[in-house]
Amino acid sequence: MIWDEEFESMPREALEALQLYRLRKTVERVYATVPFYREVFDKAKMTPAKIKTLDDLKRLPFTNKTDLRDNYPFGLFTLPLHEVVRIHASSGTTGKPTVVGYTRRDIDTWSSLMARTLSCGGAKKGDVVQNAYGYGLFTGGLGFHYGAEKLGATVVPVSGGNTRRQVMLMEDFGSTVLTCTPSYALTLAEAMADAGVDKERLKLRVGIFGAEPWSQSMRQQVETKLGIDAVDIYGISEVIGPGVAVECIEAKNGLHIFEDHFIPEIIDPDTEEPLPYGEEGELVFTTITKEAFPVIRYRTKDISRLFPEPCRCGRTHVRMERVSGRTDDMLIIRGVNLFPSQIESLLLDIEGLEPHYLLIVRREGTMDTLEVQIEVNEQVFTDEIKGLEVLEKRVESQIKDILGISAKVRLVEPKTIQRFEGKAKRVIDERKI
C-alpha cells in the first residue's frame, strides 16, 4: 500500500518542479534568519536569488556536524525557541551533542513521513507495533511512535532493553510489527530460543530495522530466526530522524528516499564533487520542508549510491543502496580500506558462525593488526579443537582472498560477545595513532 500516492508516485517533472520551489523557499528562510548560513553563502558568493535550477544546489556550501556543534545549542534554528515544540539531540559521545528542533508543523510532517515509512515497509492500520527503539533525546523511539499512531496502528512503546519482557509482550500482545536495530532483533531471537518460545507462536509478520549498517546476510538471519519479512530504514537526526528513506516490502531493492522533503546527493568525500547516479560516495541531504531546523547540503558521512529507476511498487522517488559504512568508521589497515559491514557479510555466509562479531585493531611496532572475534553456534563449539582450528583457518583465508587483508580469527563460544539494545559496537581500535 502507498500511504501518500500523490507525492510518492509523482511524475519526475512535477517532483523536480516541487523540489525547486521548496528549495528556493528554504534557502531564502535560512539566509534571512540564520547568521551562519548568511555568512557561508556570502563567502561562496551565493544568494537565494541565484537559485534558478536544481543544479544550482551544488553551488551552495556544505554543512557538517562541526558546524552544528560550533553553533550549539540553538544557533542554526530559524525560529525563536518559543516556536519550537520539541528538541532532540545526539548522545554527544564525541563532544557536544548535535541539537535538532521541531515546530508543531515539523512534528506533523515527521509523523506523516513515518506513516509512509511504516506503510512502505509492510505495516498497516490495525497492526500491533512493538517499538523497541529507544525513547528520549534519540529520535528513533518517538519517530516510530508518532508514525505508527498516524498510520492507525496500535503502539507498544516498550523501548529498548528488558529483553525477556519484550519476548513475553510480543507473545501476549500479539505484536505483528517489530521496530528496533537489526542487532537487537537478533538478540530478541536469541532470547526467544532461550525461553523456548517458538516463532510460530508469535504473530510477528514484519520487522523494520535501522540505525546501524547491516548486510544482506544479516537480513537473512533475522528473517529466518524470527519468521518475518525484514526491511531496512534510513534516518539521521540532523535531517529529521527516521523517515528519510525505507525499502518497500514488495521489492526490498534499495531504499526509497522521500524526495518531496529531502534532496539527496552523492559526493566524492575527498574532492567534494557530486557523483552521478550509480557511483558510490558520501550521502548529502538538503531538507526542503522543515521549519525549525532545515539543513543545507548536510554531509552525513554515510556511504551509499543512488538509483533513479522507478520501482515495481509504483513509487517514483530515487532509491539509495543500503548504507555500507561511514567515512568515519572506515578502517584503514595496512593501506586497505575496510568497513565492518564487509566483514559481516563475509562471516555470515560461512556455516556454523553466528551474527555476533567484534573487530579489534592494534598496532604492533609499525604494523597494524586485525583480530576478528566471531561466535560459533553450539554444534560447532562442541566439536573437537582440531575442527575449530580448521574453521578459523578457513575464515582467515576467506578474509584474505575476498578483502585482501590478513586477519587473526578467534572463534568464541556462543553468547560471549556483548549484546547491545541500540547500535551494536563492532570495532575496538586500540591503535595509538
Side-chain angles (χ1 to χ4, degrees):
M1 170 187 168
I2 299 180
W3 170 258
D4 193 347
E5 191 161 1
E6 177 186 357
F7 290 98
E8 293 181 71
S9 302
M10 184 175 281
R12 195 77 211 167
E13 185 176 349
L15 175 60
E16 290 180 356
L18 178 64
Q19 286 181 318
L20 179 59
Y21 173 78
R22 289 177 167 178
L23 173 64
R24 295 182 70 178
K25 291 293 184 183
T26 298
V27 171
E28 287 171 3
R29 188 166 72 255
V30 300
Y31 188 84
T33 59
V34 182
F36 164 79
Y37 279 120
R38 189 179 313 116
E39 181 181 342
V40 296
F41 284 10
D42 286 346
K43 188 175 180 180
K45 295 182 170 52
M46 279 297 295
T47 60
K50 292 183 178 180
I51 303 295
K52 304 293 187 183
T53 69
L54 286 177
D55 198 49
D56 290 327
L57 176 63
K58 67 185 180 184
R59 300 169 61 193
L60 295 174
F62 294 104
T63 311
N64 56 52
K65 192 177 286 283
T66 301
D67 297 322
L68 273 60
R69 291 193 174 123
D70 288 346
N71 289 276
Y72 174 88
F74 310 130
L76 295 187
F77 286 15
T78 63
L79 295 166
L81 200 58
H82 69 264
E83 295 188 48
V84 175
V85 302
R86 173 93 63 79
I87 291 173
H88 283 284
S90 70
S91 61
T93 54
T94 57
K96 290 280 190 183
T98 54
V99 179
V100 297
Y102 303 79
T103 63
R104 169 53 54 196
R105 182 181 173 189
D106 288 334
I107 294 295
D108 291 343
T109 297
W110 190 18
S111 300
S112 294
L113 283 171
M114 284 306 300
R116 272 193 205 184
T117 296
L118 287 157
S119 179
C120 190
K124 60 184 186 297
K125 182 177 180 179
D127 268 321
V128 178
V129 178
Q130 182 149 330
N131 186 16
Y133 281 107
Y135 283 67
L137 287 176
F138 172 61
T139 53
L142 285 170
F144 271 95
H145 185 116
Y146 275 59
E149 289 185 343
K150 184 82 170 180
L151 183 66
T154 300
V155 186
V156 182
V158 65
S159 193
N162 209 336
T163 304
R164 290 184 181 178
R165 184 165 177 259
Q166 296 252 14
V167 173
M168 180 190 74
L169 295 181
M170 274 195 289
E171 185 172 16
D172 294 350
F173 291 180
S175 302
T176 54
V177 178
L178 175 64
T179 60
C180 61
T181 63
S183 55
Y184 191 58
L186 287 170
T187 299
L188 287 169
E190 202 171 64
M192 284 168 50
D194 289 345
V197 176
D198 190 280
K199 63 187 178 185
E200 301 301 328
R201 284 164 49 184
L202 303 180
K203 294 183 179 179
L204 276 185
R205 188 184 79 255
V206 172
I208 302 176
F209 306 124
E212 62 188 14
W214 54 307
S215 64
Q216 180 64 21
S217 298
M218 182 176 276
R219 187 214 298 271
Q220 291 166 356
Q221 292 261 358
V222 170
E223 290 185 332
T224 299
K225 290 175 183 289
L226 290 176
I228 60 174
D229 274 312
V231 299
D232 192 17
I233 182 177
Y234 177 83
I236 180 170
S237 296
E238 296 89 333
V239 175
I240 201 169
V244 177
V246 63
E247 288 179 318
C248 62
I249 191 92
E250 296 91 340
K252 298 184 194 173
N253 184 26
L255 290 80
H256 297 269
I257 297 173
F258 298 130
E259 288 187 279
D260 51 326
H261 294 268
F262 316 105
I263 300 179
E265 300 174 78
I266 294 288
I267 65 166
D268 182 311
D270 297 321
T271 67
E272 299 185 343
E273 289 298 314
L275 296 174
Y277 286 134
E279 290 199 23
E280 185 177 82
E282 180 182 348
L283 266 172
V284 172
F285 281 103
T286 297
T287 66
I288 52 174
T289 56
K290 287 176 66 181
E291 289 186 331
F293 184 74
V295 289
I296 306 297
R297 302 194 81 195
Y298 184 74
R299 295 187 60 170
T300 68
K301 298 187 180 293
D302 289 323
I303 300 297
S304 183
R305 68 183 84 218
L306 300 179
F307 301 101
E309 298 82 11
C311 181
R312 62 183 173 87
C313 72
R315 295 172 178 85
T316 55
H317 297 175
V318 299
R319 285 167 291 150
M320 58 177 272
E321 187 176 64
R322 65 169 56 220
V323 171
S324 60
R326 289 175 55 82
T327 58
D328 57 357
D329 73 0
M330 180 177 72
L331 296 171
I332 303 177
I333 302 172
R334 299 192 297 278
V336 177
N337 294 347
L338 182 71
F339 288 107
S341 56
Q342 292 175 290
I343 293 275
E344 175 186 293
S345 184
L346 182 152
L347 293 174
L348 296 186
D349 283 339
I350 299 174
E351 188 175 353
L353 302 183
E354 291 291 301
H356 304 287
Y357 66 94
L358 187 63
L359 310 182
I360 303 174
V361 187
R362 302 183 177 94
R363 176 158 291 177
E364 297 179 2
T366 60
M367 294 291 291
D368 293 335
T369 64
L370 173 64
E371 178 180 303
V372 180
Q373 296 182 8
I374 177 79
E375 288 184 13
V376 296
N377 61 33
E378 293 283 357
Q379 183 178 348
V380 170
F381 186 70
T382 58
D383 287 348
E384 295 180 359
I385 295 296
K386 185 176 181 180
L388 291 173
E389 290 175 347
V390 169
L391 183 54
E392 282 181 343
K393 294 299 181 186
R394 179 187 167 202
V395 177
E396 289 175 355
S397 178
Q398 289 276 77
I399 293 173
K400 176 68 174 177
D401 292 345
I402 296 174
L403 301 180
I405 187 168
S406 298
K408 171 62 180 173
V409 172
R410 279 188 55 210
L411 302 181
V412 299
E413 64 180 294
K415 303 177 185 177
T416 55
I417 291 176
Q418 183 178 356
R419 305 298 195 258
F420 295 86
E421 297 166 9
K423 295 183 182 182
K425 184 175 177 62
R426 302 296 195 191
V427 179
I428 297 176
D429 194 337
E430 297 180 350
R431 293 175 292 185
K432 306 297 182 184
I433 299 176

